[in-house]
Amino acid sequence: MPDIPRRGVLMSAAAAGVSAQLPRTAAAAPAQPPPPDSAAGGGPDPVRVRWLEDGGLGAAPGSTFGVPWPRGQVRAGQDFSLVADDGTQVAAQTWPTAYWPDGTLKWTAHAVGPAASGAGTLTLRPGAPAEPARAVRVTGGHGTVTVDTGALTARIGTRGRALVRSLRRGGTEVARDGHLVLLRQSEPAEGDTGSTKWHRFTSRIEKATVEQRGPVRAVVRVEGKHGGGKDGGGKDGNGGRAWLPFSVRLYFYAGSEAVRMVHTLTYDGDAGKDFIRGLGVRFTVPLRDETYDRHIRLGGEGDGMLTEAVKGVTGLRRDPGQAIRTAQVKGAKLPDPASWDERVTKRLDLIPTWGDYTLSQLSADGFTVRKRTGPGRGWIAAGGGRRAAGFGYLGGAGGGLSFGLRDFWRRFPAGLDIRGAARDEAEATVWLWSPEAQPMDLRFYHDGLGQDSYEKQLEGLEITYEDYEPEFGTPYGIARTSELMFWANEATPSAGELARQAAAVRTPPQLAAPPEQLAGAKVLGGLFAPADRSGAGRTKLEDHLDFLFGYYRDQADQRRWYGFWDHGDVMHSYDEDRHQWRYDVGGYAWDNSELSPDLWLWYAYLRSGRADVFRFAEAMTRHTGEVDVYHLGEWAGLGTRHGVQHFADSAKQQRISTAVYRRPYYFLTADERTGDLMRALVDSDETFLVLDPLRKVRDDVYEPDRNALSVGMGTDWSGIAAAWLTEWERGGPRAERAERRLRTTMRTIAALPKGFWTKGVRYDLDTAEFSAENPDAVEVSHLSAVFGQVEVCAELIHLTGDEDFERAWLQYCRLYGAGGAAMERELGEDLSRSAVLQQGHSRLTAYAAARTGDAGMARRAWREFYTKDPWGYTESSPWRTEKLDGPQALVPGEEAAWVDTNTTAQYALAAIQNLALIGDHLPGPG
């Protein structure tokens, strides 16, 4: 996409520190009284939910999913039952995640455990829920929280280093001392400069909170930092330092032998001297069986599995007997050695015991496995492949621990370690960052090239499209969330069960409501409708949408958009000369949500129900909400504009951190971490006090005044408004304040004579009121509406029925593409030269047409969509890829040099929303 953004448009305020607040287990209903029984209209219709992928729940501990409801249909407090196709009731736990302004339910969350494992589709309907055979029980005392699922008992620490003090099956302890491991070095040790000292840290718990207590699902959150020494409190050469805050949630489901872990790390180090060498989760596993009854399993490619025993009795010169060999490979307990061939029995002590195993995935394209008999002994290569499952098992015939890391190869460098399997206690470590890789290096990638003044920095922006400023390219405060699973097994699982566990790690099963329910509830602005191919015109648009998604899905793999910090993002623009995305060219590199690809992907899923779209959108949400946003420090609550590194650009903006990008994932899954991210933004309007967003382009002297801040009504306000909206509808602890500020901004925007066109508005932090020194001065930015403002305004109008606000928004929608003459008549000035991105903005025209019932405006919207736009796609665009091979490309593949992410996101959103709003006016046949 050409260089549309210029100068001041790119500069945003930095953020003041914002303290995140915990979500409540179930959001409290809004202050409005609940409606009478008749308001629910006889209750909601049943909803059939399905698994996104084939295979159902599999070996996963459970699944949590969200369902939306039309306004006024479901009373607060409504119970729901879940019924399988055969009529069997499945135990389910329900809680509200959002309310309509009248107090009825807008979104509900539902959790199922292993009782749903045999079900295909399920039907959710009003009624008393089935109780689990044995409900999850949560108790506390003596510095621990104990969770009993009926199959598994976990003791969780509230202080010290052990997040999970023990995992038990019945009377047997399967694992203990589950803690976090961190290795740091003070310099990168580049080239042959010699070794550097590693400093060891471990988890130091500061707080543990029970967020849900069952009956089907329990959630415990553990927070703290990494400290030095074995127990997290000693020095170990680290001066007692505590750093790298963590937040770990542990999920338990009734009847499940597994625990799901969602691990979040926030970086608060000095990028110049705090190089993370290893980051992992470690358990101690007691081993009570004989060494020939101890088993190692490591997941390879697909369903592949390394299947070995610590002391192997297969392949020997002397044969113990086929039954013995078969049993060991299956993981069964072997009969008494006295029954074996004595030529083997009397030489058992001469067979090596392999105590240590390591699987290393140091790139997206290769893993290796090696083993050794113990410390001080040489390593023996055991094989390898391309992309490992990220799954392992350590234990014996009497029980053991399975463990796995989701997106293992996509989040490289990752690893699995087993140590001491020949001893009575072994350790299993899941490395989120493998110590075998180069240390994590988050230093800024260039030296500024003499850009020591704003003028020079703006010149740099003109050539590389990156807004450089000293000290602004810092990773301080960025975060990363990872998902892990652990199973406490009574015995070594069969090969089939291990494959099921590994599959659950790779793709956690997800239940989902159908597109018809999602669209029919009129949530998320009501700007989408189920995909429809009933006619040539619709079919062509659907083909184009499918092409664009498929291209980005395939490019992620072809271009290896992977890595611990990178997985989930896409690139911004393409370099057709190098046949390469512009990964190294300033602001053309990582996209960081520029022009809303997040929304494109979620709306594409909402209307299609496609699993591959959901997973792609899920990965982007995990990335952009964590890595591209600051969670600590003076910029907490702001995101970073696109660049070579996700944190490189000096424009720190609400348009990236906006809750509007996280809302779909949160409501579809009830993911608590995503809820944290949105709640942390509720007070993010305070960020505008910290740094002047127009500092590089001002001619006047500006001192931030909390009662007259320079806050735009486009990307600035829409970002804050999305956070307020979410807090209000969730019924969170600051819901009343959020609603009040939201309505105040809506009222004062509508009161401005020129509404959203007003130039130079000021914002009062204390009152949340907008005002203007010159109410008749007007301006427009092509970026104002393309970072979620369309979606936020549509939802606010639907929720509140505020006619004055709707009038102001419809004026903006109606005039943006109307042309200079119409603008001059109504605004007193022709702003059409700045009103670019017409294709993307055609959805504003479509919205105005739909709200007013103006058929002529609907036809105009489609003309704006189809008319050739320098920053859009047309029917004459190639709509195909070209083959790449030979020396022109690093790897063989495909390219569509005409595709860029800004255009893709806006084309797709316009097509999706126009079809939903004015599809009946689509030109041409069908």
Side-chain angles (χ1 to χ4, degrees):
M1 184 172 186
D3 300 351
I4 294 174
R6 284 291 182 267
R7 297 174 70 83
V9 174
L10 295 169
M11 316 307 162
S12 78
V18 179
S19 59
Q21 294 199 13
L22 297 178
R24 291 188 265 184
T25 297
Q32 296 91 337
D37 291 349
S38 59
D45 294 330
V47 177
R48 288 178 63 81
V49 296
R50 61 178 179 82
W51 299 99
L52 276 183
E53 289 91 3
D54 293 337
L57 183 62
S63 179
T64 300
F65 63 98
V67 175
W69 305 99
R71 189 203 299 251
Q73 191 179 93
V74 185
R75 301 181 72 246
Q78 173 71 59
D79 287 332
F80 289 91
S81 67
L82 199 62
V83 183
D85 288 339
D86 63 2
T88 303
Q89 282 210 332
V90 176
Q93 180 176 322
T94 295
W95 63 100
T97 51
Y99 299 87
W100 292 102
D102 64 3
T104 56
L105 292 176
K106 186 176 184 182
W107 285 90
T108 52
H110 309 270
V112 297
S117 60
T121 57
L122 298 109
T123 301
L124 184 73
R125 57 167 59 111
E131 294 293 328
R134 183 172 174 184
V136 173
R137 293 192 304 122
V138 182
T139 56
H142 306 291
T144 62
V145 173
T146 300
V147 181
D148 184 352
T149 71
L152 165 74
T153 302
R155 293 177 63 243
I156 300 165
T158 61
R159 57 179 179 265
R161 82 167 186 173
L163 281 65
V164 180
R165 295 193 178 182
S166 69
L167 293 174
R168 303 183 73 88
R169 291 293 305 271
T172 302
E173 184 178 58
V174 173
R176 68 168 75 103
D177 191 24
H179 62 279
L180 307 183
V181 184
L182 170 68
L183 304 175
R184 169 199 173 270
Q185 63 186 56
S186 59
E187 58 185 42
E190 297 170 323
D192 58 356
T193 58
S195 62
T196 61
K197 185 178 181 180
W198 292 10
H199 300 281
R200 292 173 172 80
F201 297 82
T202 188
S203 39
R204 181 184 297 175
I205 298 171
E206 297 176 349
K207 183 180 181 182
T209 306
V210 177
E211 295 184 332
Q212 280 194 330
R213 294 180 173 272
V216 174
R217 187 179 92 145
V219 183
V220 183
R221 182 182 185 181
V222 184
E223 301 166 87
K225 295 181 179 179
H226 295 79
K230 182 178 180 181
D231 62 358
K235 292 186 177 181
D236 192 29
N238 300 304
R241 180 184 184 187
W243 68 306
L244 286 185
F246 65 82
S247 173
V248 169
R249 280 188 170 89
L250 301 167
Y251 293 81
F252 302 88
Y253 290 82
S256 175
E257 61 189 17
V259 54
R260 174 174 176 252
M261 175 186 288
V262 176
H263 169 287
T264 299
L265 174 86
T266 305
Y267 186 83
D268 67 346
D270 181 337
K273 59 184 180 183
D274 287 321
F275 297 89
I276 295 175
R277 187 62 192 240
L279 177 68
V281 181
R282 177 173 293 163
F283 275 89
T284 296
V285 180
L287 297 172
R288 304 172 184 87
D289 297 280
E290 296 292 341
T291 52
Y292 50 74
D293 278 331
R294 299 179 187 178
H295 306 123
I296 306 295
R297 304 289 186 264
L298 292 172
E301 292 191 47
D303 290 334
M305 195 80 63
L306 180 77
T307 302
E308 298 204 350
V310 172
K311 185 184 288 287
V313 296
T314 64
L316 299 173
R317 185 178 183 188
R318 304 304 178 189
D319 184 4
Q322 182 176 340
I324 306 298
R325 289 185 280 110
T326 300
Q328 187 176 66
V329 171
K330 287 184 175 181
K333 184 176 179 60
L334 302 188
D336 188 329
S339 65
W340 305 3
D341 187 316
E342 67 172 5
R343 292 176 298 174
V344 176
T345 303
K346 68 182 181 181
R347 298 182 178 92
L348 272 175
D349 60 319
L350 301 178
I351 301 173
T353 54
W354 300 95
D356 295 351
Y357 284 76
T358 288
L359 186 154
S360 295
Q361 181 88 48
L362 302 186
S363 77
D365 294 302
F367 72 89
T368 59
V369 181
R370 65 186 195 278
K371 66 181 185 179
R372 65 181 182 182
T373 54
R377 302 299 178 184
W379 289 95
I380 305 300
R386 291 188 67 224
R387 295 171 170 175
F391 174 80
Y393 168 80
L394 165 64
L401 182 73
S402 301
F403 44 91
L405 172 64
R406 186 181 182 187
D407 292 318
F408 185 77
W409 58 267
R410 296 181 181 89
R411 295 282 195 90
F412 74 90
L416 304 175
D417 274 351
I418 292 171
R419 295 288 185 270
R423 302 194 300 265
D424 292 340
E425 289 187 345
E427 289 183 336
T429 305
V430 180
W431 292 108
L432 314 182
W433 187 281
S434 170
E436 299 199 338
Q438 289 294 308
M440 185 186 297
D441 191 347
L442 297 176
R443 292 173 294 179
F444 190 62
Y445 76 101
H446 73 78
D447 61 5
L449 304 175
Q451 297 177 41
D452 53 356
S453 67
Y454 285 166
E455 290 75 20
K456 284 287 188 181
Q457 291 163 27
L458 292 174
E459 285 299 307
L461 183 65
E462 287 297 318
I463 189 66
T464 64
Y465 201 30
E466 186 164 84
D467 184 18
Y468 169 80
E469 189 169 344
E471 309 302 324
F472 276 67
T474 175
Y476 185 93
I478 67 172
R480 194 52 157 148
T481 291
S482 304
E483 299 178 45
L484 304 92
M485 285 190 191
F486 302 90
W487 285 262
N489 304 283
E490 313 186 274
T492 298
S494 67
E497 180 61 19
L498 288 165
R500 292 172 72 240
Q501 291 179 354
V505 170
R506 284 194 300 268
T507 310
Q510 181 65 53
L511 281 165
E516 292 74 19
Q517 179 72 14
L518 299 172
K522 300 298 181 185
V523 292
L524 300 171
L527 299 175
F528 62 95
D532 180 0
R533 291 178 171 271
S534 61
R538 290 179 181 272
T539 297
K540 183 169 287 189
L541 283 177
E542 296 292 347
D543 288 345
H544 293 342
L545 291 171
D546 287 349
F547 170 85
L548 290 170
F549 171 72
Y551 182 63
Y552 276 84
R553 179 198 59 206
D554 296 345
Q555 285 290 289
D557 192 59
Q558 178 182 327
R559 306 294 181 168
R560 306 306 192 263
W561 291 340
Y562 300 130
F564 181 82
W565 290 109
D566 296 333
H567 172 236
D569 206 353
V570 298
M571 286 281 165
H572 183 285
S573 298
Y574 198 73
D575 182 345
E576 57 187 298
D577 296 310
R578 289 188 290 169
H579 304 282
Q580 171 67 280
W581 291 83
R582 303 187 214 180
Y583 72 97
D584 58 347
V585 184
Y588 292 112
W590 289 115
D591 191 72
N592 284 35
S593 298
E594 183 73 355
L595 272 66
S596 301
D598 317 58
L599 285 177
W600 155 44
L601 292 170
W602 281 121
Y603 276 79
Y605 167 73
L606 292 167
R607 66 194 300 272
S608 70
R610 285 176 51 175
D612 56 348
V613 179
F614 180 95
R615 298 304 181 184
F616 205 84
E618 179 184 33
M620 182 171 285
T621 299
R622 279 284 187 230
H623 171 90
T624 59
E626 304 276 3
V627 183
D628 299 346
V629 177
Y630 289 105
H631 310 274
L632 293 174
E634 62 177 351
W635 299 326
L638 294 180
T640 300
R641 177 183 171 269
H642 44 109
V644 171
Q645 291 166 296
H646 298 288
F647 47 83
D649 199 275
S650 76
K652 312 300 182 184
Q653 303 175 322
Q654 290 276 346
R655 77 189 203 191
I656 305 303
S657 60
T658 174
V660 76
Y661 296 154
R662 328 291 169 221
R663 287 163 53 80
Y665 184 61
Y666 172 74
F667 289 127
L668 291 167
T669 65
D671 178 69
E672 281 82 1
R673 173 57 185 169
T674 306
D676 292 347
L677 298 176
M678 296 190 295
R679 182 152 288 152
L681 298 171
V682 171
D683 293 325
S684 61
D685 51 350
E686 294 282 343
T687 61
F688 294 100
L689 280 173
V690 177
L691 188 69
D692 175 19
L694 303 179
R695 63 194 179 278
K696 297 185 180 181
V697 296
R698 283 191 182 276
D699 296 323
D700 60 335
V701 177
Y702 172 73
E703 292 293 334
D705 177 353
R706 70 177 293 112
N707 301 120
L709 285 171
S710 178
V711 176
M713 295 182 297
T715 58
D716 293 337
W717 172 76
S718 63
I720 308 167
W724 290 335
L725 165 63
T726 308
E727 182 71 1
W728 172 32
E729 64 183 356
R730 289 174 70 188
R734 288 173 285 175
E736 291 185 14
R737 180 178 185 274
E739 179 190 1
R740 185 169 59 252
R741 296 179 79 79
L742 187 60
R743 290 184 182 274
T744 299
T745 54
M746 293 170 65
R747 173 177 55 79
T748 54
I749 289 171
L752 295 169
K754 304 300 184 183
F756 282 94
W757 297 94
T758 307
K759 180 179 181 179
V761 295
R762 292 293 181 263
Y763 174 71
D764 189 322
L765 266 175
D766 293 327
T767 66
E769 293 180 340
F770 278 106
S771 61
E773 291 182 359
N774 181 0
D776 292 322
V778 293
E779 66 179 350
V780 67
S781 167
H782 60 287
L783 296 180
S784 291
V786 296
F787 286 85
Q789 187 174 38
V790 173
E791 293 72 23
V792 168
C793 288
E795 190 141 13
L796 289 177
I797 290 168
H798 182 48
L799 283 175
T800 67
D802 187 324
E803 294 179 358
D804 292 334
F805 180 80
E806 179 177 8
R807 189 178 302 111
W809 178 239
L810 289 183
Q811 180 195 46
Y812 189 84
C813 294
R814 176 171 46 81
L815 287 180
Y816 190 92
M823 289 179 172
E824 191 155 10
R825 282 195 305 271
E826 198 161 338
L827 302 175
E829 189 173 338
D830 178 358
L831 301 174
S832 58
R833 291 187 63 186
S834 298
V836 295
L837 293 174
Q838 284 292 321
Q839 185 173 75
H841 281 79
S842 69
R843 58 199 173 110
L844 279 72
T845 311
Y847 181 79
R851 294 296 292 183
T852 61
D854 188 328
M857 194 179 302
R859 291 190 291 273
R860 192 191 100 193
W862 283 117
R863 286 197 301 273
E864 291 168 6
F865 179 81
Y866 281 113
T867 301
K868 185 173 178 59
D869 182 341
W871 305 291
Y873 300 142
T874 67
E875 288 303 298
S876 61
S877 295
W879 298 109
R880 65 177 182 275
T881 61
E882 301 293 337
K883 186 177 180 180
L884 276 181
D885 207 349
Q888 64 180 343
L890 184 63
V891 295
E894 305 287 329
E895 74 171 357
W898 53 278
V899 168
D900 72 85
T901 305
N902 282 4
T903 306
T904 294
Q906 287 300 299
Y907 173 91
L909 282 169
I912 290 168
Q913 294 179 14
N914 291 354
L915 285 170
L917 294 166
I918 54 169
D920 291 345
H921 297 276
L922 182 68

